Amino acid sequence: PTPKPAPPKLTLVVMPLVALAWEQADELNSRIPYLASDGLPRKVAHVLDGASQSLFAGAEDGPEPSREELIRSLSGQASLPRGSPEDHLLERLQETLPGGDAMSTVLFVSPEKLVRSRALHALLRIAYEEGWWRCVAIDEAHCVDEHGLEFRHDYRLLGALTAVFAELTYMLLTATASPFTVQSLCITLGIETDPVVVRGTTRREQTAYSCTVCEDGPQKLRSVTFAVEAAHRGGKSTMVYTNSRRGTERLAGSFREV
């Protein structure tokens, strides 16, 4: 008898920055070319963004569902609209390689998309029932912790995943998790078994740190602008972090005036 091919393997990656998700998906697709059984190329990585098929009639920044509503939607109350991006992804999961083996798929979503999209809930439910899911990776997992500086409320609702899909493997990734934060993440996300904790070092050979003392906001802006200009003259890229979207927009406006 012909051996039954292994089921498709889906890895769900939850990331807070959609732009970074697109960058990583493009990198994966450039490194892992796939040819389906029809001989045509397929992508291994996909990004779902936007708020199509929202739980509510608002946009992605509209009202969010309660944990109970999200559990009901993930448990089978959501439907998969024909012709939607999620419907096309379902077709992708059902495809095979020329030899009959299954193709792996990496799906990047934002926490807001995962929490609010009924169509995505239906796709995940089908993948779970078919045994297609490999694992769930939650990037920047410290955003779950309400005591952290980067707390995002949609992250807290991700515990609905472990409530509905308890048998899956969950990987929480963060560079800023203290022992207290690790414990808080497990409680919030409903991870009852002792997790395997893998710790790296904060020392990074390719990274240098320096501090500049600034007396006020204008001096801080001048210092940052000077550093960005110096990097630009040297043909280097610069990334500037702020603690709010308003601060980011204000800095971007100042850079454009230079």
Side-chain angles (χ1 to χ4, degrees):
T2 303
K4 184 178 180 181
K9 296 297 183 181
L10 170 65
T11 297
L12 180 69
V13 182
V14 184
M15 298 187 68
L17 300 176
V18 175
L20 183 58
W22 278 108
E23 180 180 289
Q24 295 197 5
D26 290 342
E27 178 70 15
L28 275 174
N29 289 327
S30 67
R31 289 172 176 262
I32 310 176
Y34 260 151
L35 290 178
S37 56
D38 58 9
L40 298 177
R42 297 289 192 277
K43 294 181 179 180
V44 65
H46 302 263
V47 180
L48 284 179
D49 58 7
S52 61
Q53 304 301 323
S54 175
L55 280 166
F56 296 88
E60 199 164 290
D61 58 354
E64 64 188 21
S66 67
R67 186 175 187 274
E68 292 71 24
E69 288 174 316
L70 181 54
I71 288 176
R72 288 196 297 270
S73 185
L74 289 168
S75 297
Q77 290 190 357
S79 59
L80 188 58
R82 292 186 60 84
S84 65
E86 290 81 1
D87 187 38
H88 292 308
L89 269 173
L90 177 60
E91 295 177 359
R92 166 70 175 75
L93 288 171
Q94 295 169 328
E95 292 180 329
T96 59
L97 295 170
D101 291 330
M103 292 189 290
S104 295
T105 300
V106 181
L107 177 59
F108 293 91
V109 298
S110 69
E112 291 79 12
K113 177 70 176 180
L114 179 54
V115 164
R116 301 164 196 244
S117 173
R118 281 188 177 274
L120 179 56
H121 300 165
L123 173 66
L124 297 180
R125 184 69 199 179
I126 294 171
Y128 182 73
E129 292 174 346
E130 294 290 337
W132 292 344
W133 246 4
R134 184 191 302 271
C135 74
V136 179
I138 301 177
D139 193 26
E140 306 293 353
H142 55 271
C143 294
V144 175
D145 184 16
E146 64 180 335
H147 301 287
L149 295 176
E150 298 179 75
F151 169 60
R152 288 172 64 166
H153 198 272
D154 287 274
Y155 263 92
R156 286 186 64 82
L157 293 174
L158 298 185
L161 285 176
T162 59
V164 179
F165 310 125
E167 290 82 8
L168 294 177
T169 298
Y170 291 86
M171 181 186 300
L172 311 181
L173 306 169
T174 174
T176 57
S178 65
F180 173 81
T181 301
V182 171
Q183 183 181 19
S184 176
L185 295 181
C186 292
I187 293 174
T188 302
L189 296 178
I191 300 175
E192 298 179 354
T193 57
D194 291 334
V196 177
V197 180
V198 180
R199 295 188 181 277
T201 176
T202 56
R203 181 177 176 81
R204 301 180 182 181
E205 298 296 336
Q206 73 275 24
T207 303
Y209 298 91
S210 64
C211 298
T212 302
V213 178
C214 299
E215 296 181 356
D216 53 26
Q219 184 182 358
K220 183 185 297 184
L221 178 59
R222 287 193 297 271
S223 297
V224 173
T225 303
F226 176 80
V228 171
E229 286 182 320
H232 182 70
R233 287 194 298 269
K236 299 179 181 179
S237 299
T238 306
M239 183 177 295
V240 180
Y241 288 89
T242 69
N243 60 2
S244 68
R245 178 177 295 180
R246 180 177 299 177
T248 302
E249 294 171 347
R250 184 167 58 248
L251 267 178
S254 299
F255 293 155
R256 283 193 291 267
E257 295 174 358
V258 175

